[in-house]
Amino acid sequence: QVQLVESGGGAVQPGGSLRLACVASGFSFSSYAMSWVRRAPGKGLEWVSGITSGGGSTSYADSVKGRFTISRDNAKNTLYLQMNSLKPDDTAVYYCAKVWHTIVVLSTSPNEYDYWGQGTQVTVSS
C-alpha cells in the first residue's frame, strides 16, 4: 500500500532553517509528481511547493518563493523541502502528497492529490 512518511519538523527561531523529508513506498515514486502542502493553525490547506516526477521542474507558492527549495531523490524514493529564513507565518503541519495519476505533471490544487503523509509539525517562534 502507498505510504508517505514525513520527518524533519521541529521548533526553530525566526530566520532559522529546517529540512523536511518524505519517504515514499508502495508505488513507483519516480513516475509521480509530488508536492508539499501545509495547514496552519485555524486555517485551510495551503499548497507550498511541487516538483515533477523527474525533478526537472519545480514550482512554489509566492509566500515561500526564494526561501524554500523542493527536491527529490528518486533512487531513494525521498522528497525533500529545504526551508530557510523561516518566519512565524510558516508555522504549520507540513504534508507531502502524491498526485493521483502520472498524467498530472504538476498541480497546485490539493484535489489532485490522492495520498498524504501523516504530517510533521513546524513551529517558528522566538
Side-chain angles (χ1 to χ4, degrees):
Q1 70 279 21
V2 173
Q3 284 194 318
L4 300 169
V5 180
E6 300 99 336
S7 62
V12 64
Q13 293 186 338
S17 298
L18 286 172
R19 189 192 195 202
L20 306 184
C22 170
V23 178
S25 62
F27 67 103
S28 179
F29 179 73
S30 61
S31 297
Y32 291 84
M34 300 288 295
S35 279
W36 288 97
V37 182
R38 67 187 181 186
R39 186 190 297 273
K43 297 186 178 181
L45 287 171
E46 177 190 14
W47 176 85
V48 174
S49 180
I51 188 167
T52 52
S53 58
S57 183
T58 59
S59 185
Y60 299 91
D62 288 343
S63 58
V64 307
K65 200 171 293 183
R67 300 186 297 121
F68 290 12
T69 303
I70 191 172
S71 63
R72 65 192 296 163
D73 185 338
N74 284 344
K76 296 182 178 180
N77 285 359
T78 303
L79 177 73
Y80 301 99
L81 185 68
Q82 177 67 44
M83 305 186 296
N84 299 329
S85 303
L86 283 161
K87 305 175 180 179
D89 284 349
D90 295 319
T91 295
V93 177
Y94 284 72
Y95 303 90
C96 64
K98 164 192 167 291
V99 293
W100 70 276
H101 197 282
T102 56
I103 61 172
V104 180
V105 175
L106 201 58
S107 175
T108 63
S109 170
N111 293 331
E112 296 275 19
Y113 295 86
D114 60 351
Y115 285 93
W116 303 69
Q118 84 288 351
T120 186
Q121 176 71 47
V122 171
T123 302
V124 185
S125 173
S126 55

